[in-house]
Amino acid sequence: MNVRRPLSAVLLAGVAGGLLAGCGIRATEVPTDFGPAPSRAHCSLTAPDVTTQASRGMPVQVFLLCGSSLVTVDRTVRVAEGATDTERRVLVAQGLLDELAKSPSQAETEAGYKTEVRGGTTVAGPRPGDPEDTLRLSTAPSALAASALAQIVCTFSDSAAAEGDGSVILGGPDEAEPRRYECTDEVRAHPASTEPPSTGVSNG
């Protein structure tokens, strides 16, 4: 026995199909592909595991270049126990220099980080007559590229290698008097074109 659908049901089905077709909607249509997910944001890194880092040494921060400015990244340095204040300052400074000279990790490179500090640079403590918190580099500060000097000054001045007042006293291997260098907002924003301001320091 054939069952006839009411005429109203047939008409409704036809109207619904027409509306769907008019809107371009099809049951089998594949969703639109909006492309791959956005890549890692420029100069943005996932926060490291500080607890794990601390087990490998003293947590510190160094300034790397990213875009046209300086940006801090987390590192660790090892300092021998029992060191005097001067020895500790030099050990921290050397550890920071070594970290600055390392090639950025793959994640850091992908995020746009780089460094202008060259490997092999060493640091020593004050000579007789220098202020006690002087750090003497194996390369004269005036001979460093502006970006490299900015990285070193900002990294040192924000660490246990300096007095924590936003400045650091640097000298070179020659007899030139050491000078006090400052890490300013302008230096952090434009390290390639802004040399860290410096002033002479009194001996003793």
Side-chain angles (χ1 to χ4, degrees):
M1 180 177 178
N2 293 333
V3 179
R4 296 177 179 275
R5 291 189 294 173
L7 181 59
S8 58
V10 175
L11 292 174
L12 285 173
V15 171
L19 289 173
L20 291 175
C23 294
I25 300 175
R26 296 184 181 181
T28 58
E29 186 174 354
V30 178
T32 302
D33 182 5
F34 291 101
S39 59
R40 181 190 297 276
H42 189 62
C43 299
S44 176
L45 290 171
T46 301
D49 185 342
V50 177
T51 302
T52 301
Q53 280 201 348
S55 66
R56 299 195 299 266
M58 181 177 71
V60 296
Q61 287 189 321
V62 301
F63 282 82
L64 297 183
L65 296 162
C66 196
S68 61
S69 61
L70 292 178
V71 182
T72 56
V73 297
D74 295 313
R75 293 285 193 267
T76 60
V77 298
R78 290 191 176 278
V79 179
E81 294 184 7
T84 66
D85 288 346
T86 298
E87 290 171 339
R88 179 181 176 82
R89 185 179 294 115
V90 173
L91 289 171
V92 170
Q94 187 61 62
L96 292 170
L97 273 178
D98 293 342
E99 291 298 325
L100 284 171
K102 285 182 179 178
S103 297
S105 67
Q106 181 177 346
E108 290 166 346
T109 300
E110 291 175 354
Y113 290 77
K114 64 180 182 178
T115 183
E116 292 295 330
V117 178
R118 298 293 177 251
T121 305
T122 59
V123 60
R127 294 177 180 173
D130 287 345
E132 63 179 3
D133 53 346
T134 299
L135 295 170
R136 284 192 172 267
L137 303 173
S138 58
T139 300
S142 59
L144 294 171
S147 295
L149 180 58
Q151 283 186 259
I152 293 171
V153 168
C154 289
T155 296
F156 281 3
S157 64
D158 193 38
S159 75
E163 295 300 314
D165 61 354
S167 69
V168 61
I169 298 177
L170 296 178
D174 52 22
E175 298 302 320
E177 296 287 340
R179 297 181 65 81
R180 183 181 294 277
Y181 293 82
E182 295 182 49
C183 177
T184 63
D185 290 341
E186 185 68 15
V187 171
R188 287 190 290 269
H190 306 288
S193 58
T194 306
E195 184 174 324
S198 66
T199 55
V201 292
S202 59
N203 291 341

